[in-house]
Amino acid sequence: MTRPAILLDTHAFLWLLQAPERLSADAAAAIRGAQLVFVSTATVLEAGTKYRIGKLPVVAPLVAAGWAEVLEHAGATPLAVSLADAALAGAHASAHRDPWDRLIAAQAVLRTLPVVSNDAALDTFDVARIW
């Protein structure tokens, strides 16, 4: 199914780049069929932070290559976190505590974008989730 645009959760973006076999068939098809694939700048913050503190060493080649080049090579468009995104992420009633997921969910809600993610906790934000 062709979609105008989708937003990738952090793990979906990293799996697309480094372990595409980990994506579900629906997730892979959604990525292939999207006219525009967004990756949040929150994803870059999350991956970079986890790399820096030693929790995500597998992203070393992505950090070394530079995020702008990585996104361009993947055919993805960066989606900057806006003031409205940050406000909604902080205020949303969801009990989900992960700040990066909250930002990605807020971006999806405000732009009516489906999120490619295996994280069912995002469902508490009332986003369309593809997995």
Side-chain angles (χ1 to χ4, degrees):
M1 169 187 231
T2 301
R3 295 180 188 279
I6 58 173
L7 176 59
L8 302 184
D9 195 359
T10 301
H11 68 274
F13 179 57
L14 296 178
W15 291 350
L16 172 66
L17 296 173
Q18 297 183 312
E21 69 280 0
R22 294 187 70 182
L23 294 170
S24 72
D26 288 345
I31 294 167
R32 279 191 312 274
Q35 294 172 3
L36 196 54
V37 176
F38 284 111
V39 172
S40 175
T41 54
T43 288
V44 174
L45 174 61
E46 179 180 10
T49 299
K50 289 181 177 180
Y51 170 72
R52 179 182 47 81
I53 64 174
K55 291 180 87 174
L56 199 57
V58 299
V59 301
L62 307 178
V63 171
W67 289 106
E69 185 162 319
V70 168
L71 267 70
E72 183 179 335
H73 179 73
T77 301
L79 182 59
V81 175
S82 71
L83 181 62
D85 297 329
L88 180 57
H92 197 283
S94 171
H96 193 43
R97 298 177 56 130
D98 184 307
W100 295 299
D101 283 350
R102 293 182 70 85
L103 281 168
I104 290 169
Q107 288 180 303
V109 166
L110 291 173
R111 292 160 186 84
T112 319
L113 293 170
V115 179
V116 176
S117 177
N118 71 352
D119 187 354
L122 291 177
D123 297 345
T124 63
F125 290 93
D126 295 322
V127 298
R129 186 173 58 86
I130 301 166
W131 195 254

